[in-house]
Amino acid sequence: MRREQPIFTTRAHVFQIDPGTKKNWVPASKQAVTVSYFYDVTRSSYRVISVDGAKVIINSTITPNMTFTKTSQKFGQWADSRANTVFGLGFSSEQQLTKFAEKFQEVKEAARVARDKTQEKIESSSSHSQASSVNGTDDEKASHAGVADTHLHLKSENDKLKVALTQSAANVKKWEVELQSLRESNARLAAALQEAAASAEQWRRRFCSGRDNSARLRSKVDALEEQCSEINREKEKNIQLEKRIEELESELREKETELKDLRKQSEIIPQLVSECEYVSEKLEAAERENQTLEDKVQALRSDMEESRFRQHHLKGELRSFLDVLDGRLDDLHDLRRGLSELGADH
């Protein structure tokens, strides 16, 4: 069974007063270390011990005349005349400082009680020694032998304490490594969570942008569909114009046939001047009408060419827009697939 056992443990930054100035604090540890109260069952004494790696930075035996003073909400100190220094502890919270101060007061009171009991034993032992001094040198020799045995026992216990401190330092180092590993893991998890949140926000913005683009594309599709309807109406109009042109061409052929007949009649009956003049006038009228019809046919052909050119141009714009629409639809499919994969990862 171990003679000295921990009764309270906390973590704090350890400082010692500067031996030169007696004013400034000098850090005894680079980071927060374990600080523990130990109780020595054999000696009925209490100590504050802290180890940083393999180095003992606090080894202070608590006595009844010591006082732990809070100098701020997270810092406290006490003077150790045996170590000829002043120890300071910086805690991460006021609650930890309060617990340590309360435990210091409890240990100090327990040390006072233990000292009183020890004093009573010493006085009783002194009285017994004075009474037994009359017995002669044999008792004195036995007393000296007992003191020597006590020294050997104390030396053995001190060696055990050194081994325990070394083991405690190794355990503290191991715990600090594990704590650092946990901190790094927590930092990586926090960074991963932040990155996932940023990625989700980015995907959300892209989804909203894609939704807006989809709405604009849908509006443009509706406009193009309206243009397609207009193209269809133009097609129907072109069909009607072609039919009208065919009718006019047929009428023109009939007029040409009639003109030929009239010319033949004018050649066959030259003596009928009056009729010839009449035929000539009719011919001229027919020619004028023919010219008018040709002008109409030419105008209709020009309208048909213009309609065909507009139809071709609208078909080109429609084909280009459909290509762009296909690309945007592919982007939307990729975006939806990315969102699905992101949702599955979460």
Side-chain angles (χ1 to χ4, degrees):
M1 180 178 179
R2 294 180 57 185
R3 187 184 68 179
E4 198 169 25
Q5 298 177 354
I7 58 176
F8 179 81
T9 299
T10 186
R11 291 185 67 82
H13 291 270
V14 179
F15 299 86
Q16 290 187 10
I17 201 71
D18 188 347
T21 62
K22 297 294 184 181
K23 293 181 180 180
N24 300 325
W25 290 106
V26 178
S29 62
K30 295 181 180 180
Q31 57 186 1
V33 295
T34 302
V35 181
S36 303
Y37 286 99
F38 281 84
Y39 174 60
D40 191 332
V41 179
T42 304
R43 298 182 180 181
S44 297
S45 63
Y46 297 87
R47 289 197 299 168
V48 178
I49 297 176
S50 179
V51 179
D52 186 10
K55 179 182 177 182
V56 179
I57 55 179
I58 299 179
N59 185 6
S60 177
T61 302
I62 306 301
T63 61
N65 59 346
M66 287 183 178
T67 301
F68 184 83
T69 305
K70 296 180 181 179
T71 58
S72 68
Q73 292 183 347
K74 298 181 181 180
F75 193 87
Q77 65 184 51
W78 79 96
D80 189 338
S81 58
R82 293 182 181 180
N84 192 25
T85 188
V86 179
F87 294 104
L89 296 179
F91 296 90
S92 60
S93 66
E94 184 178 1
Q95 184 180 6
Q96 289 181 339
L97 173 61
T98 302
K99 288 183 179 180
F100 187 88
E102 292 174 353
K103 183 57 66 173
F104 193 97
Q105 188 64 28
E106 292 177 8
V107 168
K108 174 182 173 182
E109 183 65 24
R112 185 189 65 76
V113 174
R115 184 192 63 179
D116 293 343
K117 290 182 179 179
T118 303
Q119 188 68 27
E120 290 176 0
K121 289 181 180 180
I122 291 174
E123 291 175 355
S124 176
S125 175
S126 177
S127 299
H128 178 70
S129 176
Q130 291 176 1
S132 62
S133 62
V134 184
N135 292 335
T137 58
D138 291 338
D139 292 339
E140 291 177 358
K141 291 179 180 179
S143 176
H144 286 305
V147 171
D149 291 340
T150 301
H151 282 199
L152 291 174
H153 178 70
L154 290 176
K155 184 179 181 181
S156 175
E157 292 297 329
N158 193 27
D159 293 337
K160 292 180 180 179
L161 177 60
K162 289 180 179 179
V163 173
L165 286 175
T166 302
Q167 183 66 29
S168 176
N171 290 336
V172 168
K173 193 66 176 178
K174 180 180 177 182
W175 294 336
E176 288 178 352
V177 171
E178 292 180 355
L179 179 61
Q180 185 64 25
S181 177
L182 289 174
R183 286 175 177 171
E184 292 175 356
S185 178
N186 188 31
R188 288 194 299 269
L189 288 174
L193 181 60
Q194 186 176 3
E195 183 179 356
S199 179
E201 180 64 21
Q202 182 180 4
W203 279 110
R204 188 187 66 80
R205 290 195 298 267
R206 289 184 62 184
F207 176 75
C208 293
S209 177
R211 184 176 57 189
D212 295 338
N213 289 334
S214 178
R216 287 193 296 270
L217 290 173
R218 189 176 293 109
S219 299
K220 199 164 185 179
V221 167
D222 293 338
L224 287 175
E225 288 179 351
E226 180 64 25
Q227 291 180 2
C228 290
S229 299
E230 185 177 354
I231 290 173
N232 292 330
R233 288 193 294 270
E234 290 292 335
K235 285 181 179 180
E236 293 178 356
K237 187 176 181 180
N238 289 337
I239 293 173
Q240 293 176 357
L241 288 174
E242 289 176 355
K243 290 181 178 179
R244 179 58 179 165
I245 288 171
E246 290 177 356
E247 292 176 356
L248 290 175
E249 288 178 348
S250 176
E251 186 176 354
L252 179 60
R253 287 193 296 270
E254 292 178 357
K255 294 297 182 181
E256 288 177 350
T257 303
E258 185 178 356
L259 181 60
K260 289 179 181 180
D261 293 340
L262 290 174
R263 284 176 179 175
K264 288 179 180 181
Q265 289 179 7
S266 64
E267 292 176 357
I268 295 172
I269 315 174
Q271 67 275 12
L272 298 176
V273 176
S274 60
E275 291 183 5
C276 183
E277 291 177 352
Y278 173 76
V279 170
S280 296
E281 292 175 355
K282 193 173 183 180
L283 178 60
E284 291 175 357
E287 287 178 352
R288 287 193 299 272
E289 187 176 358
N290 184 34
Q291 184 64 39
T292 302
L293 290 175
E294 286 182 354
D295 293 338
K296 289 183 179 180
V297 168
Q298 187 66 28
L300 289 174
R301 285 178 178 175
S302 178
D303 292 340
M304 185 177 66
E305 290 297 329
E306 183 180 357
S307 177
R308 286 177 180 175
F309 175 77
R310 288 179 59 190
Q311 181 179 357
H312 179 73
H313 181 68
L314 288 175
K315 285 181 179 180
E317 287 186 350
L318 179 61
R319 188 178 299 106
S320 176
F321 173 75
L322 290 176
D323 292 338
V324 174
L325 181 61
D326 290 338
R328 293 298 179 89
L329 290 176
D330 291 338
D331 290 341
L332 289 177
H333 286 306
D334 293 339
L335 176 60
R336 181 176 297 172
R337 189 180 302 108
L339 289 174
S340 300
E341 292 175 356
L342 179 60
D345 290 340
H346 282 293

